[in-house]
Amino acid sequence: MTKETLGRPNTSNKTVLKWVDEIVKLCKPDQVYWCDGSKAERKALLAEAVEKGVLIKLNPKKLPGCYYHRSNPNDVARVEQATFICTENQDEAGPTNNWMAPKDMYAKLRGLAAGSMRGRTLYVVPYLMGPPGSPLTKVGIELTDSIYVVLSMGVMTRMGTLAFEQLGEGDGFNRGLHCMLDVHPDRRYIAHFPQDNTVISVGSNYGGNVLLGKKCLALRIGSYLGRQEGWLAEHMLILGVEAPNGEKTYIAAAFPSACGKTNLAMMIPPPAFKGWKIWTIGDDIAWMKPGPDGRLYAINPEAGYFGVVPGTNSKSNPNAMQLISHDTIYTNVALTPDLDVWWEGKDGPAPKECLDWRGNKWTPESKEKAAHPNSRFTAPMANNPMLAPEANDPHGVPISAIIFGGRRSDTIPLVFQSFNWVHGVYLGATMGSEMTAAAVGGAGQVRRDPMAMLPFCGYNMGDYFRHWINMRKHIKYPPRIFHVNWFRKNAQGHFLWPGFGENMRVIKWIVDRCHGRADADETPIGWVPNPKSFDLNGLPGFTVEQFEQLQAINEEEWRREVLMQDELFMKLHSRLPKELIFQRELLLART
Ligand code: GTP
Ligand code: SPV
Ligand code: MN
């Protein structure tokens, strides 16, 4: 970029100019750069990032257009303990969120941000969450001193002058400020001010903490706005199932972080499912609103995928392997001597020698992992071979099924269906999952993660459940609600279900249930498939007994489960909708 383009705003919006001016005065950057989102700009910024050592250009023969980034080793995942919802009253944020009064948090963050961009560039990053022209689409502007963030936002959002065009002279935009500071955990805060449509993030440079359009705007602020405006902001993938006769059914699914959304959204059906296709609309976030025809419509507000790398290979996720073969930023994987990347679970043998995600020498004898378990790819959705054209449709897609699912070694069957909407909300509200590397701390422990939104709900979780229950009144044809668990294990600790592409079998049962075509048996926990309605063809060696083991409802385990659910309900007691308490009573009465 030339010196002239630096500092020249590409908007005349007075509210924007005034706010940027205030932040410039506070942070005191040496220069200000206004992003336009052009290809030429991206090329220049990539070159600058390489020159500054923020990115390494990967082998262009093997990985054209790909770059490598290593984060600070103290900064590799979301930090839930440093994430705050700053509403006037603590009760609005609720017992599942960290809270601080807005004026105290603003004062603390102003202190940290003051003068913090001396010697640095402040980038103005205007972006859209959602397709241009959609009534659901929101405008955000992120001011950041991280070129890695600018380049990532350019992939993850529709970034550039188009956002200023959609905004016009209005003031309806999310104000995002990101200061890297010295990337120290003691000075790391991700603070949300829902009443001001503002996010301030300091002291980190890791995806979920700093790509402010994603978890901060699209989920935490989004959920807050959704409640006021009558829609849902959810931690859900969106996919389209195409049957051999061309019928398309759209499904949204909420799984906690690193529990299989990207994999399901990009899944390729197994050979036995000839003619079936899965199309991706989104892999992480869904915004859903009742449409004029009485159905629930969903859009994916994002334009790219920030996906888990380890475990990705041509068997588990062939579409993702194509997606990340070009024009991708890799963060915290291992780097080989010929500037290729490697990770645990990649196809082929481990390299004889490479640099691990910290930059230390690594060999197959090393005890530590070469790639961080939460290493990620940042890739544009346009590169997904199975991107649904509907991903750019401003109207979104009508959802027929909502799936909730956690990572559970025991108790929870492969699949079951709720009796009705409120029971489905109960299934989502009581979801449990083993924690993963996507957030700092506690990996492996089962915790309640309602609707996979525990870290992302921008207001009181009890009110969130109420909002979900109330939505039913505005949806004439509500999606059917299901619960799945790909992760049940046997006594030897092996997964009972092959998962990945074979999940198509579960998807097909769900699709058939939505269209009234498949049988189910009633159980105390919901409707379940029987071996006659569930397609096990072409899964050699998988027996009906194994299927029954996967679907088993163990009374002892369920008693424990209901007790664990109660802990969350007690925490939320003052705002818990009574419908959910009744659902619990009904469940107990049935067992
Ligand atoms: P976030 O991006 O963190 O929100 O996560 P995500 O839900 O998109 O998770 P992703 O699809 O990246 O899955 C992460 C992990 O789950 C990887 O380790 C996968 O290998 C594993 N996984 C995904 N699907 C399956 C499955 O069907 N069976 C098994 N056993 N593991 C799976
Ligand atoms: C998650 O943790 O749920 C993610 C990755 O999708 S991040 O954007 O870093 O939060
Ligand atoms: Mn996620």
Side-chain angles (χ1 to χ4, degrees):
M1 77 204 68
T2 62
K3 266 271 183 275
E4 292 122 74
T5 57
L6 287 167
R8 193 195 294 161
N10 48 347
T11 176
S12 57
N13 183 304
K14 291 200 179 59
T15 317
V16 174
L17 295 174
K18 185 164 169 266
W19 170 62
V20 173
D21 199 48
E22 272 166 33
I23 300 298
V24 167
K25 287 200 173 101
L26 175 71
C27 299
K28 301 196 166 37
D30 275 16
Q31 42 196 11
V32 177
Y33 177 77
W34 294 72
C35 297
D36 64 15
S38 65
K39 281 196 177 126
E41 171 184 270
R42 185 164 186 86
K43 204 171 154 212
L45 289 170
L46 283 165
E48 188 182 332
V50 169
E51 190 191 301
K52 288 187 170 146
V54 175
L55 295 180
I56 294 172
K57 192 172 164 61
L58 291 167
N59 188 325
K61 289 215 180 74
K62 294 187 164 174
L63 294 164
C66 292
Y67 293 82
Y68 179 86
H69 177 75
R70 239 179 233 129
S71 76
N72 189 312
N74 76 32
D75 186 37
V76 294
R78 283 183 294 101
V79 276
E80 295 178 4
Q81 50 313 349
T83 302
F84 285 77
I85 302 296
C86 306
T87 43
E88 282 305 325
N89 305 304
Q90 179 158 15
D91 203 34
E92 284 174 85
T96 60
N97 281 312
N98 299 309
W99 175 85
M100 199 185 285
K103 86 173 166 10
D104 296 339
M105 185 57 99
Y106 275 128
K108 182 195 266 298
L109 296 179
R110 262 190 221 112
L112 288 167
S116 71
M117 295 190 189
R118 275 198 189 94
R120 302 175 65 79
T121 301
L122 178 149
Y123 300 88
V124 181
V125 186
Y127 63 93
L128 294 180
M129 296 311 285
S134 169
L136 274 170
T137 292
K138 300 279 182 200
V139 177
I141 304 174
E142 177 163 357
L143 309 182
T144 177
D145 60 349
S146 163
I147 195 168
Y148 170 75
V149 166
V150 179
L151 287 163
S152 302
M153 287 294 283
V155 173
M156 297 303 295
T157 71
R158 293 159 175 99
M159 188 274 270
T161 311
L162 85 169
F164 284 138
E165 281 159 12
Q166 171 132 352
L167 179 63
E169 294 304 313
D171 63 358
F173 63 95
N174 179 269
R175 291 155 175 72
L177 170 61
H178 166 235
C179 309
M180 282 176 70
L181 310 182
D182 57 350
V183 198
H184 193 288
D186 290 352
R187 285 175 287 285
R188 187 166 295 158
Y189 293 93
I190 298 94
H192 304 71
F193 305 88
Q195 279 129 341
D196 305 338
N197 198 1
T198 292
V199 182
I200 303 178
S201 169
V202 301
S204 172
N205 200 34
Y206 166 76
N209 300 329
V210 298
L211 307 178
L212 301 184
K214 192 172 176 58
K215 303 300 180 172
C216 302
L217 170 52
L219 287 179
R220 298 195 190 95
I221 301 279
S223 60
Y224 183 93
L225 295 174
R227 173 162 164 256
Q228 290 178 340
E229 299 169 359
W231 52 280
L232 294 163
E234 299 300 327
H235 192 200
M236 289 181 180
L237 68 93
I238 310 165
L239 59 79
V241 187
E242 185 181 328
N245 67 3
E247 171 197 76
K248 265 197 167 181
T249 306
Y250 299 99
I251 299 178
F255 309 152
S257 302
C259 289
K261 290 183 298 302
T262 303
N263 278 273
L264 186 62
M266 301 184 76
M267 172 248 277
I268 296 183
F273 283 70
K274 205 163 168 281
W276 289 83
K277 285 187 187 128
I278 299 287
W279 297 92
T280 317
I281 289 123
D283 84 323
D284 197 47
I285 298 175
W287 284 354
M288 304 194 287
K289 190 177 179 158
D293 63 357
R295 294 188 289 176
L296 184 64
Y297 279 78
I299 64 160
N300 167 19
E302 300 189 279
Y305 311 139
F306 183 59
V308 174
V309 176
T312 307
N313 58 54
S314 56
K315 262 201 155 144
S316 65
N317 195 344
N319 279 329
M321 288 307 286
Q322 275 201 54
L323 169 82
I324 63 180
S325 65
H326 62 107
D327 301 297
T328 294
I329 302 173
Y330 287 91
T331 299
N332 291 340
V333 296
L335 184 65
T336 67
D338 60 344
L339 298 178
D340 194 357
V341 285
W342 190 78
W343 57 82
E344 278 73 16
K346 195 184 182 188
D347 296 302
K352 284 195 193 71
E353 189 188 318
C354 62
L355 295 178
D356 71 9
W357 65 275
R358 287 186 171 90
N360 297 327
K361 188 180 150 186
W362 186 94
T363 68
E365 285 72 48
S366 302
K367 285 199 182 66
E368 310 242 349
K369 290 211 176 345
H372 189 276
N374 192 40
S375 50
R376 298 255 168 184
F377 59 77
T378 311
M381 71 176 184
N383 291 352
N384 175 358
M386 291 306 286
L387 178 72
E390 300 92 308
N392 288 305
D393 185 342
H395 300 105
V397 294
I399 298 296
S400 295
I402 289 174
I403 308 178
F404 294 114
R407 181 185 283 269
R408 293 296 298 272
S409 325
D410 52 41
T411 317
I412 311 293
L414 177 64
V415 58
F416 58 105
Q417 182 183 357
S418 73
F419 295 118
N420 52 43
W421 181 265
V422 185
H423 182 231
V425 173
Y426 175 82
L427 297 184
T430 54
M431 233 169 89
S433 195
E434 289 152 23
M435 290 167 72
T436 66
V440 174
Q445 271 167 270
V446 175
R447 71 167 178 186
R448 292 302 116 187
D449 190 348
M451 277 97 169
M453 284 287 280
L454 181 72
F456 307 119
C457 185
Y459 61 102
N460 191 301
M461 191 64 86
D463 294 343
Y464 170 73
F465 295 161
R466 165 55 60 208
H467 181 47
W468 259 90
I469 292 171
N470 287 353
M471 283 300 286
R472 172 66 183 91
K473 300 190 187 103
H474 307 285
I475 314 168
K476 191 162 173 211
Y477 307 105
R480 304 290 187 250
I481 301 181
F482 298 82
H483 197 297
V484 304
N485 175 25
W486 312 143
F487 301 93
R488 199 167 188 177
K489 290 180 175 169
N490 63 14
Q492 290 73 47
H494 296 130
F495 288 120
L496 284 165
W497 179 245
F500 302 101
E502 303 299 342
N503 293 333
M504 184 62 212
R505 297 165 191 282
V506 177
I507 295 297
K508 172 146 186 298
W509 184 74
I510 288 173
V511 167
D512 286 344
R513 287 294 292 167
C514 291
H515 297 299
R517 293 192 293 243
D519 273 353
D521 296 336
E522 191 178 326
T523 73
I525 64 168
W527 294 103
V528 300
N530 53 53
K532 284 197 289 295
S533 62
F534 191 90
D535 194 340
L536 287 173
N537 286 325
L539 196 53
F542 196 88
T543 62
V544 170
E545 288 69 41
Q546 276 171 295
F547 181 70
E548 278 163 359
Q549 207 183 343
L550 259 171
Q551 286 294 122
I553 301 168
N554 177 307
E555 244 181 79
E556 195 53 48
E557 287 180 337
W558 272 91
R559 250 197 297 279
R560 208 176 334 129
E561 182 68 15
V562 177
L563 277 178
M564 289 200 292
Q565 295 175 356
D566 216 31
E567 281 173 33
L568 177 77
F569 279 13
M570 279 180 352
K571 204 167 166 183
L572 297 174
H573 71 276
S574 65
R575 303 257 192 144
L576 190 69
K578 60 181 184 312
E579 288 90 330
L580 297 184
I581 300 168
F582 296 155
Q583 284 299 324
R584 181 175 181 276
E585 291 303 311
L586 286 170
L587 171 62
L588 289 170
R590 287 191 299 261
T591 43

